[in-house]
Amino acid sequence: MALHLKDRTLLDAERPFAELLGRPGVTEVLRLRSRFGFMAFHGGWLEEVTDDIASAAAERSGASVYACLQGPDDQWHLPSHCFDPADSPVLREFLDHVDVVVAVHGFGSPRLLRAVLLGGRNRTLAAHVAVHLIGRLPHYEVLHRLDEIPKTLAGQHPRNPCNLPRGGGVQIELPPRIRGKSPMWTGFRGPGRVPHHEALIEGLAAAARAWTASENSHGTGSELVPEPALAD
């Protein structure tokens, strides 16, 4: 197993994402359902469990899902803005289909072990997702204001796939603990996923269901707007 963090082979390529898709063990997943989408383009063995979270939340809410999965032998961490839909008809089809998206990522920071970060450029959707997560994740701090989120994890690049749908989207960054990848879960035998992981999926699915119901009732008005205040 090799994580190529300092290897610039792909970054120096003219089309990094196309180069990645040509690597052994890299596959794409697409399921088109509603106009609400979930993504996990750092999925598979790279940011582990992110594709499971995106797929499960999409299935429970009737949402669409796209994932790019990397295998166990080699993992390449391309910056999000390198995932160019021009290099992938599958990603292009997904982005053309959805109105908004939640892109699921994993991160590790000793000072943010209990933080869930909601970046991306659709701040209305970020606040909406936060409302559905806060009550379900009492052991975590759900940070939805951009000034609370490290700039490198805020998902503000205009070419980040979470910002490419018509209404933009949210980038959710998850620490290892909530993904079940922490020593605190040693010895957990189920049934099912670890409790924090399960609660997160249900919260994301609830957010997608509520957003879709609201859009169906009032018409599609998704847009990139300034960050609103979140009610207590």
Side-chain angles (χ1 to χ4, degrees):
M1 177 174 173
L3 178 58
H4 301 282
L5 285 177
K6 297 183 179 180
D7 190 331
R8 293 191 56 87
T9 300
L10 296 191
L11 283 176
D12 290 339
E14 184 177 351
R15 297 164 59 200
F17 185 31
E19 188 76 16
L20 175 67
L21 291 174
R23 295 275 164 167
V26 178
T27 59
E28 292 177 286
V29 174
L30 176 65
R31 300 284 184 274
L32 296 181
R33 302 185 184 98
S34 76
R35 298 287 182 177
F36 193 107
F38 287 97
M39 307 179 75
F41 49 85
H42 285 155
W45 288 72
L46 181 57
E47 294 177 358
E48 293 181 86
V49 190
T50 57
D51 53 287
D52 174 67
I53 293 166
S55 296
E59 184 173 352
R60 294 183 192 185
S61 61
S64 298
V65 64
Y66 168 85
C68 181
L69 311 179
Q70 298 191 43
D73 297 326
D74 293 283
Q75 295 92 49
W76 302 81
H77 193 283
L78 286 183
S80 295
H81 68 267
C82 291
F83 286 78
D84 188 343
D87 294 330
S88 167
V90 180
L91 178 56
R92 179 75 273 165
E93 184 178 5
F94 173 80
L95 293 173
D96 286 345
H97 178 77
V98 299
D99 291 327
V100 294
V101 72
V102 172
V104 183
H105 291 265
F107 80 105
S109 170
R111 66 184 185 86
L112 293 171
L113 290 176
R114 297 185 181 182
V116 172
L117 314 178
L118 296 174
R121 302 183 77 178
N122 187 325
R123 306 313 303 158
T124 300
L125 179 57
H128 172 84
V129 173
V131 167
H132 287 272
L133 293 184
I134 288 171
R136 291 177 170 87
L137 300 175
H139 303 291
Y140 296 86
E141 187 176 11
V142 179
L143 304 180
H144 71 99
R145 298 185 183 278
L146 289 178
D147 59 5
E148 300 175 314
I149 301 171
K151 289 184 178 180
T152 56
L153 299 172
Q156 294 301 294
H157 197 292
R159 294 201 304 273
N160 185 320
C162 81
N163 299 319
L164 294 181
R166 289 174 285 277
V170 168
Q171 175 173 295
I172 182 168
E173 294 278 357
L174 303 169
R177 179 177 300 182
I178 203 168
R179 292 179 280 137
K181 311 301 292 185
S182 165
M184 75 171 289
W185 300 115
T186 300
F188 179 81
R189 296 292 181 267
R193 301 173 177 91
V194 300
H196 296 183
H197 183 178
E198 179 63 28
L200 169 69
I201 291 171
E202 187 49 43
L204 290 173
R209 290 191 297 265
W211 184 274
T212 300
S214 176
E215 292 293 282
N216 289 341
S217 297
H218 302 102
T220 55
S222 302
E223 56 182 331
L224 305 184
V225 296
E227 182 180 13
L230 183 66
D232 291 338

